[in-house]
Amino acid sequence: MSAPVESPAPAGNPAWWEIPGRWARWVAFWDQEEHPRSLGLVRLLLGIVVWFDLAQIANLDLVVELFGTAEMGGLSDAAVRTEVPYWYQVFPNEPWSAWALYLTMLVTATTFTIGFFTRSSALILLLCWAQQATILPPSDRGIDLMCRNVLCLLMFTQAGQWLGVDGAIRRWRTGVPTTRIPAWPRYLLLLQIVVMYWTAGVQKVGLEWTPMGEFSALYVILQDPAIATWDFSWVANQPFYFSTQVGTAVTYIWQWTYPIVLLWYWYDFGPQRDTWFRRVSKRYHLKWIYIAIGAYFHFALAVTLELGIFPYAMLALYPAFFHPDTLLDVARRLRLAPPSPAAPPAPAAPTAG
Amino acid sequence: MDPRRKRTAVARALLITLFLVGHGIYALPLPKKITLEEIRKQDAQENVDRWLGWLGSVGLRFEKPWFEERVTTLATAIGEGHDLLRTPFKPWMRLTGTGQSWALFAVPDRWPVRLEIEVQRQGSKEWELAYRRLDPEHAELAEVLRYRRIRGIYDGQISKPRAAYKNLTRWIARDIFERHPDITQVRVQGVKTHTTLPSEPPDTTRETVSPRPHRRENHGTAKAKEAGK
């Protein structure tokens, strides 16, 4: 999928790979800029997911239980550990301290979502979230770690410049919208997703993921009552069992080979060298097939397993796969954005994505 | 490029490099430290047997105790080396609660545990099932117990109860005592079953794990305190 570059790099600037010297190229690569659309969308979607998760805690009346210590009715032993979490070193062991931590997270999740003081909101939310994880470690899941990693990147970005109050204020003050922000947080976010999928794949040492274990991993996981959405004992019958075996094999191969997505990004946005694999990849849209498998995988998890916000938070990161101009192109095709101006597009300076 | 922007770009590239090194070390998919006791647990043993069987099928035959000892020694050495590499980055990772640990369903659990809550009512010695995971007929506290953060506590600790699990069972009991004045005892426990594959003979083994009984008299509930006034 190619799109006209909406806000190309300033004319006359060479592409990063044309710059002599490895270190200079490295510096130039991380110095690229792009429209804030993709990161703004990640901020908005992830913020909504986090906000709903926090709202669910209050709805279930679990604030003191999850943020407090056993002394005040919570589930944590934090107050009697040798290393007391910073929060309870500063604040007293009272229910209001648990509420204060929770409300700080809720307020900053709200301001982060609407893109108001986006960077400070991300920083405070991150630090408070880390405290909750320290207070009650078993309540902290893999997706919490992922969300904190993403916040750690987004606290350096201007993700609030698109669909955010920060962007509206700036536009009101200067009269022009922000069209270029540093692109490196999106590249690192993309890398983070790749690392997560790949390391999750290579650490799958249970033989159930392999032919020696009949590719039975998904079947076995579905039989775990702690995480299954329903009783899946009927999956033992054919053709359902076979479908779980196919699912296991696809998941395993897909995760092991996921770093190839980076190669396809290199093909799309790096130096233009023609190879047969590049041609095949482009012709059959392999990059998008891999990304679509990931989205399907998360939808399937959302339906079959009760993993809380995991599938939704992961899907919230998917706009990072799209270059901002590609997103605009998609929006135009769906008639969600005005058509591009009639003027001929500027020569497309390749931008890494 | 103007000198100020160039300096910013260089500083940024340096910080990103440092960030990549730190997270790269954390992301290395290396084995974690494991003890002989852990590898000799029921669920780990099934995997050891399968690995020995598979290695045997390609001509590599090992004595099981020798294999277990070598695996634990090697994994522990690698785990300790990895830990050493992580040391300089630990303060930052701890402060921000960030890291790279993505062993998602690395070894599917063939011995899953189903949470159950049983209660005894006043004047009865019979245990009555109040909650069983995925059982709509017995769904006391079901909405809370399915919430991911609460599930994480019992799913992760029920086989080896630690403080959070013990506090959770106490909290469950207190909640039930408050809402049901006729209940005198609450017992929270897990029931471990064996997941067999369709190609294997079924195994109906059921083992109760980590039962935590609670008596009303040991729980000073708000309502009980109020009633006592």
Side-chain angles (χ1 to χ4, degrees):
Chain A
M1 199 181 287
S2 63
V5 176
E6 182 192 44
S7 40
N13 278 6
W16 63 269
W17 62 85
E18 292 167 351
I19 295 171
R22 281 184 190 172
W23 175 249
R25 272 202 296 276
W26 179 251
V27 171
F29 176 78
W30 296 113
D31 194 36
Q32 293 174 96
E33 293 184 332
E34 64 183 23
H35 193 278
R37 193 174 295 113
S38 302
L39 283 174
L41 202 52
V42 169
R43 184 211 82 232
L44 185 65
L45 295 176
L46 185 67
I48 290 170
V49 173
V50 172
W51 195 90
F52 270 98
D53 188 53
L54 288 170
Q56 199 179 0
I57 293 174
N59 187 40
L60 294 171
D61 201 9
L62 290 173
V63 173
V64 174
E65 283 75 3
L66 294 173
F67 291 74
T69 62
E71 286 65 23
M72 62 175 90
L75 304 178
S76 165
D77 64 341
V80 294
R81 281 186 220 145
T82 47
E83 205 174 330
V84 176
Y86 299 135
W87 188 265
Y88 286 110
Q89 287 179 29
V90 175
F91 294 99
N93 223 353
E94 303 277 349
W96 69 261
S97 301
W99 273 98
L101 179 58
Y102 170 77
L103 288 173
T104 310
M105 282 182 71
L106 188 68
V107 169
T108 48
T110 308
T111 50
F112 173 77
T113 307
I114 62 172
F116 184 53
F117 285 102
T118 312
R119 288 186 279 199
S120 344
S121 300
L123 172 66
I124 298 168
L125 179 58
L126 170 73
L127 295 177
C128 290
W129 202 331
Q131 283 305 295
Q132 196 282 326
T134 318
I135 290 166
L136 192 56
S139 74
D140 194 64
R141 318 303 298 159
I143 193 60
D144 295 281
L145 179 66
M146 180 54 128
C147 290
R148 286 194 297 271
N149 284 358
V150 175
L151 283 175
C152 197
L153 292 174
L154 294 186
M155 74 183 184
F156 294 105
T157 72
Q158 297 172 43
Q161 293 298 325
W162 192 74
L163 283 188
V165 178
D166 287 345
I169 291 172
R170 192 187 165 99
R171 190 172 189 164
W172 174 66
R173 279 186 182 158
T174 64
V176 285
T178 304
T179 55
R180 295 187 74 77
I181 63 167
W184 64 265
R186 189 171 71 84
Y187 304 163
L188 288 183
L189 180 50
L190 217 152
L191 181 64
Q192 172 65 82
I193 299 171
V194 171
V195 166
M196 185 215 177
Y197 286 145
W198 179 67
T199 57
V202 296
Q203 288 180 85
K204 286 186 172 18
V205 292
L207 282 178
E208 291 83 1
W209 289 102
T210 67
M212 289 85 79
E214 294 184 21
F215 284 125
S216 60
L218 290 187
Y219 169 78
V220 173
I221 291 166
L222 288 172
Q223 305 310 310
D224 188 340
I227 48 171
T229 308
W230 304 289
D231 176 4
F232 279 104
S233 52
W234 52 272
V235 177
N237 303 315
Q238 295 294 14
F240 307 110
Y241 182 59
F242 177 70
S243 69
T244 65
Q245 289 176 303
V246 172
T248 302
V250 170
T251 306
Y252 194 60
I253 296 166
W254 176 78
Q255 289 192 329
W256 262 91
T257 56
Y258 205 77
I260 203 168
V261 167
L262 295 177
L263 178 67
W264 290 325
Y265 273 93
W266 181 264
Y267 282 167
D268 279 351
F269 298 104
Q272 306 288 312
R273 290 195 194 104
D274 193 35
T275 64
W276 69 268
F277 189 61
R278 181 188 194 127
R279 282 196 301 275
V280 169
S281 305
K282 283 212 160 248
R283 182 171 177 187
Y284 296 106
H285 304 291
L286 295 184
K287 183 176 85 179
W288 297 113
I289 288 173
Y290 258 61
I291 292 167
I293 288 174
Y296 172 78
F297 170 72
H298 291 301
F299 278 119
L301 283 183
V303 174
T304 56
L305 299 178
E306 286 194 340
L307 298 176
I309 60 167
F310 177 75
Y312 310 106
M314 285 304 300
L315 286 170
L317 308 181
Y318 269 49
F321 282 116
F322 297 86
H323 187 277
D325 298 332
T326 309
L327 276 181
L328 180 65
D329 190 41
V330 171
R332 280 178 177 151
R333 284 172 198 222
L334 297 172
R335 300 186 181 207
L336 296 171
S340 57
T351 317
Chain B
M1 195 189 283
D2 73 83
R4 194 172 161 204
R5 170 142 192 211
K6 194 172 179 183
R7 277 199 300 274
T8 309
V10 170
R12 180 196 294 133
L14 277 169
L15 284 173
I16 289 174
T17 308
L18 187 68
F19 178 88
L20 287 174
V21 170
H23 278 269
I25 289 170
Y26 268 69
L28 288 173
L30 298 173
K32 290 189 172 63
K33 287 184 264 186
I34 186 169
T35 61
L36 267 178
E37 188 194 356
E38 284 166 334
I39 207 171
R40 286 180 178 155
K41 272 187 190 166
Q42 196 175 29
D43 41 356
Q45 281 293 292
E46 205 158 45
N47 252 294
V48 170
D49 290 339
R50 281 162 176 263
W51 272 107
L52 281 172
W54 181 75
L55 290 168
S57 69
V58 293
L60 298 168
R61 296 184 199 288
F62 305 109
E63 290 293 320
K64 195 172 173 184
W66 182 90
F67 181 75
E68 288 168 345
E69 278 170 27
R70 288 298 169 281
V71 168
T72 50
T73 308
L74 187 67
T76 302
I78 295 172
E80 283 172 355
H82 195 192
D83 208 39
L84 193 69
L85 286 174
R86 286 190 297 205
T87 306
F89 303 98
K90 274 183 183 169
W92 169 256
M93 300 291 194
R94 197 176 298 149
L95 177 70
T96 56
T98 50
Q100 303 286 337
S101 178
W102 312 115
L104 310 171
F105 299 113
V107 182
D109 194 352
R110 297 280 299 261
W111 296 86
V113 179
R114 178 178 292 215
L115 187 73
E116 284 188 359
I117 301 172
E118 293 181 324
V119 296
Q120 248 181 34
R121 292 182 194 275
Q122 211 160 21
S124 169
K125 292 283 175 197
E126 291 292 310
W127 284 105
E128 189 185 307
L129 188 63
Y131 170 82
R132 182 163 55 196
R133 171 81 186 135
L134 294 183
D135 182 349
E137 303 291 312
H138 303 97
E140 184 80 31
L141 284 171
E143 206 184 342
V144 170
L145 293 172
R146 72 193 282 232
Y147 178 55
R148 68 185 187 96
R149 292 179 186 271
I150 296 291
R151 179 184 60 76
I153 296 171
Y154 66 78
D155 193 24
Q157 298 197 351
I158 201 164
S159 299
K160 196 177 177 182
R162 290 190 290 271
Y165 176 71
K166 291 173 187 171
N167 289 338
L168 176 66
T169 67
R170 208 170 291 133
W171 177 83
I172 289 170
R174 197 166 58 224
D175 188 87
I176 291 175
F177 289 142
E178 275 191 15
R179 288 185 297 107
H180 303 277
D182 59 326
I183 289 177
T184 54
Q185 277 203 75
V186 170
R187 185 164 67 189
V188 184
Q189 61 191 19
V191 174
K192 188 186 267 194
T193 52
H194 187 199
T195 302
T196 53
L197 306 186
S199 60
E200 297 169 343
D203 181 357
T204 54
T205 308
R206 285 168 59 88
E207 183 195 339
T208 302
V209 292
S210 309
R212 305 279 306 172
H214 296 272
R215 289 178 175 276
R216 175 178 284 275
E217 52 267 35
N218 299 332
H219 286 265
T221 65
K223 278 185 184 170
K225 278 179 190 166
E226 214 170 276
K229 275 181 187 170

